[in-house]
Amino acid sequence: MAKIPFNIIGFDLDGTLLDTSMELAASLNHALESANRPTVDSQSIRSLVGMGARHMLEMALEQSGGSDKELVKSLMPVLIDHYEANLGNNAPAFAGLLDAMDLLQDQDIKLAVVTNKFESLAVKLLNNVGMIDRFVTVIGGDTMGKGRSKPKRDPIDEMIRRCGGVVDHTPSAFVGDSIFDIKAARNAGIANVAVSFGFLHQPVEELGADAVIDHYDELVPTLITLGQ
């Protein structure tokens, strides 16, 4: 196999590494039911996720009769407690992911996760699905402090540093499914790949990524092409 021309590859989590739509739907519905609101199905939730749990809850409430700050404040602990208690119960890896990561690690490429999910929840989820040991670091939406999550470049820069690289010098790439992912990578000046199977809020072509893949079988060849 040709040499993959990157030292570090970062991944978003929900909708990129794992299909967490089913367990997110279960926790959201638990919170909605406690407020006597209509529930959502796992397919509908794909349009609600990707911008944080609070946004997901606010959007679901708006769609089912209206939202307000106090209601959101009261329901967030209900949602988070249920979600944390069931992390990894129904969050399969996307097809081809594990094989693709094997190929990357065979070339001593360092892998990392940069998500806007709380760091503690991201670490627990990856632990529960048996994937935590694949990653040098996990950076959450709260890791860098308020206002410094994706689409800011800060967590991408920190990913590079934690993986032993030098910001603006070490060849790195980022894989994600949202405009926040692609903008963060672009803001950090690194290559980026969008996955078409994620939790998209717009056509994948509109994300402005350097490349788009439809299956993880395409990741390594795409990275090789991007690095040429």
Side-chain angles (χ1 to χ4, degrees):
M1 179 184 295
K3 174 68 176 174
I4 301 168
F6 295 101
N7 295 25
I8 301 166
I9 307 295
F11 295 87
D12 175 50
L13 181 49
D14 295 80
T16 299
L17 291 176
L18 305 176
D19 184 356
T20 53
S21 58
M22 291 166 283
E23 61 182 33
L24 284 168
S27 296
L28 176 61
N29 285 337
H30 176 73
L32 292 173
E33 286 173 345
S34 74
N36 295 313
R37 292 293 186 90
T39 59
V40 301
D41 58 42
S42 58
Q43 191 59 38
S44 298
I45 202 171
R46 297 176 77 89
S47 66
L48 302 178
V49 300
M51 297 183 186
R54 182 175 299 275
H55 178 267
M56 177 180 70
L57 177 59
E58 288 172 347
M59 293 296 292
L61 289 171
E62 287 290 351
Q63 293 176 12
S64 66
S67 176
D68 62 68
K69 289 184 179 180
E70 288 304 313
L71 181 58
V72 172
K73 184 178 179 179
S74 68
L75 292 181
M76 274 297 293
V78 178
L79 190 159
I80 294 298
D81 287 350
H82 183 276
Y83 183 62
E84 188 169 8
N86 293 279
L87 273 172
N89 288 349
N90 197 356
F94 284 103
L97 170 65
L98 301 183
D99 289 340
M101 289 198 296
D102 285 343
L103 292 173
L104 296 174
Q105 293 180 303
D106 285 346
Q107 294 198 20
D108 296 321
I109 294 170
K110 294 178 179 178
L111 308 183
V113 171
V114 180
T115 174
N116 279 354
K117 183 193 292 295
F118 292 149
E119 180 183 330
S120 61
L121 293 178
V123 169
K124 185 172 181 178
L125 172 57
L126 290 167
N127 261 310
N128 289 356
V129 299
M131 289 175 60
I132 191 68
D133 291 341
R134 292 206 178 243
F135 303 104
V136 173
T137 188
V138 177
I139 297 171
D142 55 338
T143 303
M144 304 301 295
K146 187 174 182 180
R148 298 180 64 195
S149 59
K150 298 180 294 184
K152 295 289 182 67
R153 67 176 290 168
D154 302 47
I156 303 295
D157 290 345
E158 182 68 8
M159 171 193 82
I160 293 171
R161 285 189 287 264
R162 291 187 183 187
C163 289
V166 178
V167 173
D168 295 327
H169 291 284
T170 301
S172 307
F174 194 73
V175 183
D177 69 322
S178 78
I179 192 66
F180 285 1
D181 298 324
I182 303 308
K183 282 187 174 181
R186 286 195 172 280
N187 288 337
I190 69 170
N192 49 87
V193 178
V195 298
S196 66
F197 45 79
F199 302 154
L200 300 172
H201 293 263
Q202 61 199 103
V204 69
E205 296 79 13
E206 294 180 5
L207 296 180
D210 294 333
V212 175
I213 60 172
D214 301 317
H215 190 285
Y216 269 113
D217 289 350
E218 302 169 17
L219 180 59
V220 169
T222 298
L223 290 172
I224 292 171
T225 299
L226 283 179
Q228 292 175 348

